[in-house]
């Protein structure tokens, strides 16, 4: 229902559909809108103060991302986290990111690390405050910042798509595993420090550790009886 939606924080860039898409994606990815939440076009349009056309376009894009499901006679709703698929996506993510950190470490002298250090500082603040949605958003920003250091635009596009599909699961992991924020932040620092000193093997190893931590978290949640589609 409209009153259950958070206050929109739209940045009107690239058209109405893009802005609605980005806002809904953020809410779903952070866990603000939980699995099964009904996404009614008319109510969302009224909430954002737009027509139903950009909302319909945004929902179609979110369905393509795997974040929204559409059912006959029921309409659209936030998709459930499929843990087995998430596990597979993490394996793909590891392959992509190991290549990226290797390239970044090999070319470390050419990079400006100011942006990624700023992201880590913001993550540390979110960690201290226990702000899981903000931490999860910055988690994606950190990884995409590292990916861009590889200087491979197709790699960045593919990895961004993988991260979009993983974002909802990230929020669940952060909220269900004790100490996950602190551990993730420490692992991020280890990856960045290895890249900054040009330590290729160290960067690869730190990335393996980080992704394996996520995989282990997924396996723990898969074993719990409350991680089904009716969450």
């Amino acid at each position: 229902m409209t009153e259950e939606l958070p206050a929109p924080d739209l940045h009107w860039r690239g058209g109405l559909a893009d802005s609605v898409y980005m806002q809904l994606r953020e809410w779903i990815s952070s866990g603000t809108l939980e699995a099964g939440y009904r996404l009614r076009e008319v109510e969302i349009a009224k909430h954002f103060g737009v027509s139903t056309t950009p909302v319909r376009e945004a929902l179609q894009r979110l369905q393509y991302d795997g974040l929204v499901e559409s059912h006959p006679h029921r309409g659209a709703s936030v998709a459930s986290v499929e843990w087995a698929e998430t596990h597979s996506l993490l394996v793909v993510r590891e392959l992509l990111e190991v290549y990226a950190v290797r390239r970044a470490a090999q070319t470390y002298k050419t990079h400006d690390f100011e942006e990624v250090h700023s992201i880590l500082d913001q993550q540390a603040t979110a960690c201290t405050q226990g702000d899981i949605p903000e931490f999860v958003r910055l988690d994606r920003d950190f990884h995409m910042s590292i990916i861009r250091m590889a200087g491979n635009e197709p790699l960045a596009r593919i990895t961004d798509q993988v991260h979009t599909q993983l974002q909802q699961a990230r929020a669940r992991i952060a909220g269900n595993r004790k100490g996950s924020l602190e551990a993730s932040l420490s692992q991020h620092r280890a990856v960045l420090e290895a890249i900054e000193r040009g330590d290729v093997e160290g960067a690869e190893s730190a990335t393996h550790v980080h992704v394996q931590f996520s995989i282990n978290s997924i396996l723990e949640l898969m074993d719990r009886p409350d991680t089904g589609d009716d969450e």
Side-chain angles (χ1 to χ4, degrees):
M1 296 182 183
T2 307
E3 61 268 22
E4 296 176 2
L5 289 169
D9 181 22
L10 292 178
H11 301 285
W12 302 107
R13 295 173 299 186
L16 295 178
D18 289 334
S19 298
V20 173
Y21 164 76
M22 292 297 292
Q23 180 70 92
L24 290 175
R25 188 180 76 171
E26 180 182 334
W27 286 343
I28 295 170
S29 298
S30 67
T32 301
L33 298 183
E34 297 181 350
Y37 183 91
R38 295 285 297 278
L39 296 163
R40 298 175 175 87
E41 289 182 12
V42 173
E43 293 177 352
I44 294 172
K46 289 180 179 178
H47 191 68
F48 287 145
V50 300
S51 71
T52 57
T53 299
V55 174
R56 186 176 305 115
E57 293 177 12
L59 292 177
Q60 289 172 347
R61 289 175 64 183
L62 290 165
Q63 186 173 352
Y64 175 79
D65 290 340
L67 297 177
V68 164
E69 298 171 335
S70 182
H71 305 280
H73 312 300
R74 290 188 57 221
S77 61
V78 176
S80 299
V81 176
E82 297 293 339
W83 296 110
E85 181 180 357
T86 299
H87 183 280
S88 298
L89 283 169
L90 281 167
V91 173
V92 173
R93 171 188 153 186
E94 182 172 19
L95 294 173
L96 297 171
E97 294 198 3
V98 164
Y99 169 79
V101 299
R102 183 179 185 86
R103 288 289 303 143
Q106 289 171 336
T107 58
Y108 72 100
K109 291 182 179 180
T110 68
H111 301 308
D112 180 355
F113 293 97
E114 183 177 353
E115 177 189 15
V116 70
H117 274 291
S118 175
I119 292 170
L120 282 184
D121 289 342
Q122 293 173 66
Q123 268 205 306
T125 299
C127 180
T128 300
Q129 296 174 346
D131 188 343
I132 293 175
E134 178 68 1
F135 189 94
V136 170
R137 183 187 69 79
L138 291 164
D139 183 83
R140 178 194 181 110
D141 289 350
F142 171 82
H143 287 283
M144 290 310 302
S145 181
I146 297 296
I147 288 292
R148 287 191 292 272
M149 290 181 187
N152 186 317
E153 183 57 33
L155 173 68
R157 288 199 304 269
I158 294 169
T159 308
D160 185 58
Q161 179 66 24
V162 171
H163 276 279
T164 294
Q165 296 178 355
L166 285 172
Q167 206 72 341
Q168 191 181 12
R170 272 197 182 105
R172 287 288 303 278
I173 292 170
N176 282 276
R177 189 167 188 182
K178 185 178 180 180
S180 63
L181 301 189
E182 293 88 347
S184 181
L185 182 61
S186 176
Q187 292 158 13
H188 283 177
R189 286 174 172 150
V191 171
L192 181 58
E193 287 169 3
I195 292 173
E196 286 186 303
R197 62 176 181 264
D199 182 355
V200 175
E201 292 185 0
E204 289 183 355
S205 177
T207 300
H208 284 302
V209 168
H210 184 49
V211 176
Q212 190 59 52
F213 178 82
S214 297
I215 290 174
N216 290 340
S217 300
I218 293 293
L219 294 176
E220 287 181 12
L221 286 169
M222 287 173 69
D223 288 338
R224 295 184 182 182
D226 63 340
T227 55
D229 290 343
D230 58 347
E231 57 189 343

